[in-house]
Amino acid sequence: MLKNIIFSITLLLFLTGCSKLNTTKVILPPSWIGMQKIAPNVYVDKDMNKTEQQRLIKIIPEAKKYTADVWGELESQPTIYACSTKECSESLGIGDARAHQILNHLVLSPRGITKKTIAHEWSHAELYKKVDGYFNWTEIPMWFDEGVAVLVGHDPRNDKRAWEKIQNENLQYPSIDELITLKQWNQSTKKYNKNIDMNDIVVTYAVAGHEINQWYKKVGTKGLNELIQKVKNGSSFKDAYEKGNK
């Protein structure tokens, strides 16, 4: 077990950089980082009260259904770490985010304990699982991964309602070619959301969600899974995506 932990931490440091050291804590046994089990694969900090725990347990199956509605039969069964305090969130490296997916773990801040957020992050875990790990996952552009997650999550800040707002108000937005890498994604989010309240709309997510919404209408669950299988088998993402987009 210790060897597996060391390997996983080494991989995470490689993926995220040493500045994200707190993020690697999710690989450690839950008791080592002050998390307690309340259901299979569900852990919370010691400060979360019973009412909050019960609400979390209730919405997880609902989030799973959201995810399965798009992906079909799920292969992933992520471990969920939910924080009820800012201190817990900071200790697990979430920062100001609502949530993060890290390998097969979903880490939720207090604001992230919603079925929409859990479903969004679960979609990331499902893609990571189905594409069979990091090296195949790097072939997937950010806009695709995030766009599918937007489709799954039904968050009005990101979905078709957000895209309609962009169009109706003539807001500037990036092309998907500006949203391929994580670095590009973060730069574009900062640029295009500069004067826009992110609690209202997140432009990069709305763009990715719109692109995937149009594509998914053509290919559906079957086409989504076929694309991931092709990438897993060595095909280029671009070729696989363009064939489904004709």
Side-chain angles (χ1 to χ4, degrees):
M1 176 174 150
L2 183 57
K3 287 183 179 179
N4 290 337
I5 291 173
I6 292 172
F7 172 78
S8 297
I9 289 176
T10 302
L11 176 59
L12 276 173
L13 287 174
F14 173 70
L15 302 186
T16 63
C18 292
S19 63
K20 297 291 186 180
L21 183 60
N22 282 355
T23 300
T24 65
K25 287 183 178 180
V26 299
I27 300 301
L28 300 172
S31 61
W32 291 17
I33 55 176
M35 305 298 282
Q36 59 186 8
K37 185 175 183 178
I38 61 169
N41 298 314
V42 182
Y43 298 84
V44 301
D45 64 280
K46 58 181 175 50
D47 293 318
M48 184 178 290
N49 63 48
K50 292 295 182 183
T51 300
E52 291 174 317
Q53 291 179 19
Q54 290 168 1
R55 184 173 73 86
L56 173 62
I57 291 171
K58 178 180 181 295
I59 63 177
I60 288 173
E62 297 171 359
K64 183 176 182 179
K65 183 179 184 304
Y66 271 10
T67 313
D69 285 346
V70 172
W71 280 99
E73 185 176 355
L74 300 180
E75 296 180 13
S76 60
Q77 184 55 61
T79 298
I80 296 175
Y81 283 0
C83 290
S84 66
T85 67
K86 182 179 179 180
E87 290 73 22
C88 171
S89 297
E90 290 177 347
S91 75
L92 296 181
I94 301 178
D96 295 328
R98 292 172 185 259
H100 276 323
Q101 169 260 337
I102 305 163
L103 302 180
N104 195 44
H105 295 72
L106 311 185
V107 186
L108 312 176
S109 74
R111 293 188 304 137
I113 303 177
T114 71
K115 63 183 175 182
K116 293 177 180 180
T117 300
I118 295 171
H120 182 107
E121 300 303 327
W122 200 319
S123 178
H124 292 318
E126 184 66 13
L127 187 151
Y128 188 85
K129 175 70 174 178
K130 284 187 171 177
V131 83
D132 197 25
Y134 173 72
F135 294 104
N136 291 329
W137 174 78
T138 60
E139 298 298 317
I140 307 291
M142 283 292 296
W143 61 260
F144 183 88
D145 193 356
E146 292 294 354
V148 176
V150 167
L151 192 63
V152 166
H154 303 285
D155 188 333
R157 299 177 308 137
N158 309 328
D159 67 8
K160 63 181 181 180
R161 290 162 287 188
W163 176 252
E164 289 169 359
K165 184 178 179 69
I166 289 173
Q167 298 298 299
N168 293 338
E169 298 184 13
N170 292 317
L171 301 177
Q172 288 189 316
Y173 60 90
S175 69
I176 59 172
D177 290 336
E178 296 175 75
L179 303 174
I180 295 173
T181 67
L182 177 60
K183 182 178 180 180
Q184 287 179 317
W185 182 274
N186 290 337
Q187 288 174 339
S188 291
T189 298
K190 184 177 181 180
K191 176 181 177 181
Y192 291 98
N193 254 90
K194 186 175 182 180
N195 298 311
I196 301 172
D197 184 358
M198 293 182 71
N199 289 314
D200 181 35
I201 179 174
V202 187
V203 174
T204 45
Y205 286 93
V207 170
H210 174 70
E211 172 70 23
I212 293 301
N213 186 47
Q214 300 307 303
W215 176 78
Y216 188 82
K217 285 178 180 177
K218 299 175 185 177
V219 305
T221 297
K222 184 173 183 289
L224 170 60
N225 284 284
E226 285 178 348
L227 181 147
I228 297 302
Q229 187 64 42
K230 287 176 182 178
V231 173
K232 179 180 175 179
N233 292 340
S235 297
S236 80
F237 170 85
K238 183 178 180 181
D239 288 346
Y241 185 77
E242 289 179 350
K243 285 180 182 178
N245 211 19
K246 291 180 179 178

